Amino acid sequence: MRLVSALSRHRTLLSATGLAAASVWLAVEHRSGDEGVRAADITPLSITDLDAAESTGALLLDLVEPEDGEGGSEGELRALLDGLGLAWEPAGFYSEGEHLFRVHGEPEELAALQTTLADNPLVEVVEPELVFSLVGEVAIEPAGDIEPSKERRPRFEPDDPMYSRQWHMQMIHTPEAWGVTKGEGVVVAVIDTGVAWKDLPGVAKQAPDLAGTAFTHGQSFVPNSLPEGLDDHLHGTHVAGTIAQTTHNALGVTGVAFKSTIMPLKVLSGDGRGQIPWIANAIRYAADHGAQVINMSLGGPMPSSVLAKAIDYANNKGVTVVCAAGNESRGRVGWPASNNGSVAVAAVDAMGVRTWYSNWGKDLDVSAPGGDTRVDKNGDGYPDGVLQNTILLQDPLKNDYMWLQGTSMASPHAAGVAALVVSRGVNNPPEVERILKKTAKHPNNLEWDKEYGAGIIDAVAAVDAAIESYQVERGGLLGLLGLGGLAGLGLAGLAGRRARVAAFAGMFLGAGLAAGAFGLAPIAYAAADLAGATAVGSPLFLSALLPVLATLLLVGVRPLRSVLVGLNLGYAALLLHGALVLPTLLNGLPGGPTIDRLWLAAHALVALALARRVSRM
């Protein structure tokens, strides 16, 4: 008895030490590497320091949200606005509910007001209304007639005849990733010039190669523009195509996450320019209407606290924000790509070399194919641009297949890969970003530099990492929990070798299924799918509910008790891993990531305690 007691104490001590070490290692391994600029760190310029091309000449007031406990009341906010002595109005669609207002006046009046309101407790941000635009000039090359490629590889090969000229899809290994996921169930908001996603008789026509793509909640934030997020430029349609062009339809070209759903949000007018409130409101709208990924191939040379706050809002609701680094060929990443919470994407050419136009710098995260329409470095007889179906420039009634270049084209490749990762059950933005960086391939075998960030994104490596790395980590935690639990598990005392072998086999089976250790999805995700719930982030299924119910129903069947012990141990490992790493934010659970972690940890303890209890019956 003393020997058994000593062994039990050693197992418990070893398990506790191992769990502590594993927890520290996982926290370090999965720490956020985003060093972008936060809203609180931005000092707005005076409105008198900006010219007409940089600002509308108006001032933006972002007021506190009384309903969120930020102070003030609706009456106090209205009194503040009425007391300004200047004309004010909501700053566009979706802004009044967010308490974002535009103030008009003479530059000197607005500059004085900006100084006066800087320390007002009811004012979160007061800054000039900046104008952002497409990131640099867009070089356009019509594709013309392209012969289908006869090349075949041992991987998923779509039948789109122009796919062979999409060197950019093959560079990031999308064909291999498509064998695992195609982005099913993920909504990607394209915040841009709009998307040619539907017909508007006499005004706009759908791009033919988007006919099989899913769309949702199209909206225009540009006053007096095409409605429902339709495109009157060409840029946004091309960007949307890179993310989710209809694929394997015997027509045209392919998209990275072609089974995802596009949310077309128009924030740039037909000339490619848009105001900060339009963009910020679109970000919040996307987050409020189910987007899990946002792509913004737009930017400007100066930061905006209003925009940075909107990105924070989206991140906190589980939305990964991907942005173009800019096309000014300078060593500084543009805005909003430089903001904390944004994945900043530089552009490489067909040879994997940073393009001549792409920005780079300390805030760069990854690189992706952006192309160079001036050359044919890969020798395929066509310009090395990014090929997609889009409308003709400022002609929504006509379309063509066009090669474009820019970090605008690189960003949607990264957004598409982010959608593939999210479709595997990872919806926490810092974790999605970590996977993109961890699996990127750097041309110079570096972990990171200012030229390429972490390297060129790799779709199949990112998808694999969202599965395989978690399986290994959960398996390790399962072993440590089992080691500690064996001290009190009655299975070890069963009489007879066959009984012990059967008991441990059953425990191993139940634990593996619960934690997803056999190359399968954890039972939590599979059960959520069968129930018609969202597997990504369901607090009901990412809890001790299923093992508790299974135990209550089956504990009377003695041969199944070892399976139930394993099931509870496996769930404990799955939930503890979630509490430490938090790859999945829980939907519908108030309080943010901290509450999510506490929920998962508490239910892990319940499952572990239940495993011990059943083992002693």
Side-chain angles (χ1 to χ4, degrees):
M1 289 295 296
R2 291 181 178 178
L3 178 60
V4 172
S5 177
L7 289 174
S8 296
R9 286 197 301 272
H10 288 312
R11 287 196 193 102
T12 302
L13 178 61
L14 182 59
S15 174
T17 304
L19 281 172
S23 299
V24 172
W25 179 81
L26 286 172
V28 172
E29 179 70 11
H30 292 267
R31 70 188 184 281
S32 174
D34 193 336
E35 302 297 334
V37 178
R38 300 178 184 274
D41 299 329
I42 296 173
T43 302
L45 294 172
S46 171
I47 195 165
T48 56
D49 294 333
L50 304 173
D51 59 35
E54 298 170 324
S55 170
T56 65
L59 202 63
L60 290 181
L61 290 186
D62 189 2
L63 305 182
V64 296
E65 302 289 335
E67 292 184 0
D68 295 339
E70 295 175 354
S73 66
E74 294 294 340
E76 288 177 299
L77 299 186
R78 181 59 186 251
L80 171 65
L81 292 168
D82 289 340
L84 295 177
L86 296 171
W88 60 270
E89 62 183 354
F93 171 73
Y94 214 67
S95 62
E96 192 164 7
E98 301 299 333
H99 298 94
L100 180 62
F101 299 93
R102 181 185 296 114
V103 183
H104 300 278
E106 295 299 322
E108 294 75 15
E109 294 177 311
L110 296 177
L113 183 62
Q114 189 176 358
T115 301
T116 301
L117 295 178
D119 297 321
N120 191 306
L122 299 179
V123 179
E124 291 199 337
V125 177
V126 52
E127 67 180 18
E129 184 178 41
L130 301 177
V131 175
F132 276 22
S133 63
L134 302 176
V135 285
E137 296 296 322
V138 179
I140 303 170
E141 284 286 341
D145 296 326
I146 300 179
E147 294 296 326
S149 172
K150 296 182 180 179
E151 185 179 11
R152 290 291 181 266
R153 299 179 179 83
R155 52 183 180 169
F156 180 84
E157 287 284 345
D159 61 9
D160 307 73
M162 300 184 187
Y163 162 68
S164 63
R165 304 308 171 196
Q166 290 185 293
W167 55 269
H168 38 102
M169 294 295 178
Q170 302 183 46
M171 172 180 283
I172 64 172
H173 304 123
T174 53
E176 293 88 348
W178 289 333
V180 180
T181 176
K182 301 172 180 66
E184 295 88 344
V186 181
V187 177
V188 183
V190 176
I191 297 181
D192 211 288
T193 63
V195 180
W197 66 279
K198 63 180 291 186
D199 291 344
L200 189 61
V203 178
K205 294 189 69 174
Q206 181 185 58
D209 213 358
L210 289 175
T213 300
F215 293 92
T216 186
H217 290 101
Q219 189 61 254
S220 293
F221 294 80
V222 180
N224 303 314
S225 66
L226 290 184
E228 299 183 81
L230 288 167
D231 190 6
D232 56 1
H233 183 271
L234 69 66
H235 189 269
T237 302
H238 195 282
V239 165
T242 294
I243 297 169
Q245 195 88 75
T246 305
T247 300
H248 207 51
N249 61 338
L251 175 69
V253 291
T254 68
V256 175
F258 58 87
K259 288 295 185 181
S260 64
T261 298
I262 295 294
M263 182 185 293
L265 302 181
K266 181 175 179 59
V267 300
L268 302 179
S269 60
D271 64 359
R273 290 164 56 83
Q275 297 168 20
I276 287 296
W278 305 346
I279 303 169
N281 290 335
I283 294 171
R284 291 176 180 269
Y285 177 92
D288 290 341
H289 287 79
Q292 292 136 305
V293 179
I294 287 174
N295 183 83
M296 288 194 287
S297 292
L298 49 76
M302 289 169 290
S304 162
S305 294
V306 169
L307 198 54
K309 281 185 59 188
I311 292 171
D312 287 342
Y313 179 86
N315 285 167
N316 290 335
K317 297 199 75 170
V319 184
T320 299
V321 179
V322 183
C323 301
N327 296 347
E328 291 77 30
S329 188
R330 65 181 183 182
R332 187 175 66 186
V333 174
W335 306 91
S338 282
N339 282 119
N340 182 72
S342 295
V343 181
V345 187
V348 297
D349 63 18
M351 298 292 102
V353 177
R354 181 172 61 81
T355 60
W356 57 272
Y357 55 77
S358 179
N359 290 353
W360 70 99
K362 65 180 181 61
D363 294 321
L364 185 62
D365 293 310
V366 294
S367 298
D372 186 349
T373 60
R374 307 176 310 170
V375 297
D376 177 21
K377 290 184 178 180
N378 61 7
D380 64 357
Y382 300 95
D384 289 346
V386 171
L387 182 62
Q388 293 296 346
N389 183 208
T390 188
I391 63 173
L392 299 189
L393 183 62
Q394 298 180 339
D395 188 350
L397 290 171
K398 298 178 182 178
N399 75 90
D400 201 349
Y401 289 87
M402 297 185 185
W403 277 289
L404 270 62
Q405 69 178 28
T407 56
S408 282
M409 283 62 255
S411 182
H413 284 89
V417 175
L420 296 179
V421 171
V422 172
S423 74
R424 301 307 297 162
V426 184
N427 71 350
N428 188 4
E431 189 65 7
V432 175
E433 181 175 347
R434 187 196 69 84
I435 289 174
L436 293 179
K437 292 178 180 178
K438 186 78 172 179
T439 57
K441 302 299 188 293
H442 198 287
N444 300 320
N445 295 319
L446 300 175
E447 184 175 344
W448 183 90
D449 69 3
K450 294 181 180 180
E451 298 286 322
Y452 296 93
I456 302 170
I457 56 170
D458 189 313
V460 70
V463 167
D464 288 345
I467 304 170
E468 295 172 357
S469 65
Y470 294 149
Q471 289 176 340
V472 172
E473 292 168 358
R474 289 167 182 159
L477 290 173
L478 176 60
L480 291 169
L481 289 174
L483 180 64
L486 282 176
L489 296 182
L491 297 174
L494 289 176
R497 178 177 299 177
R498 290 184 180 180
R500 285 199 296 272
V501 170
F504 279 103
M507 187 173 66
F508 179 75
L509 175 64
L513 289 174
F518 301 138
L520 302 173
I523 289 179
Y525 290 174
D529 284 336
L530 289 174
T534 302
V536 179
S538 169
L540 286 179
F541 294 99
L542 285 175
S543 70
L545 175 65
L546 286 181
V548 167
L549 290 177
T551 301
L552 291 175
L553 290 172
L554 302 174
V555 71
V557 184
R558 189 175 183 86
L560 292 181
R561 287 179 183 171
S562 62
V563 177
L564 292 174
V565 171
L567 183 71
N568 280 282
L569 280 175
Y571 251 90
L574 173 70
L575 297 171
L576 179 58
H577 178 266
L580 294 169
V581 174
L582 199 61
T584 305
L585 294 176
L586 302 183
N587 299 324
L589 196 65
T594 299
I595 298 300
D596 290 354
R597 292 182 189 274
L598 291 174
W599 170 278
L600 294 165
H603 282 268
L605 291 175
V606 170
L608 184 60
L610 197 57
R612 289 175 61 90
R613 179 66 180 271
V614 173
S615 71
R616 294 180 175 184
M617 290 183 175

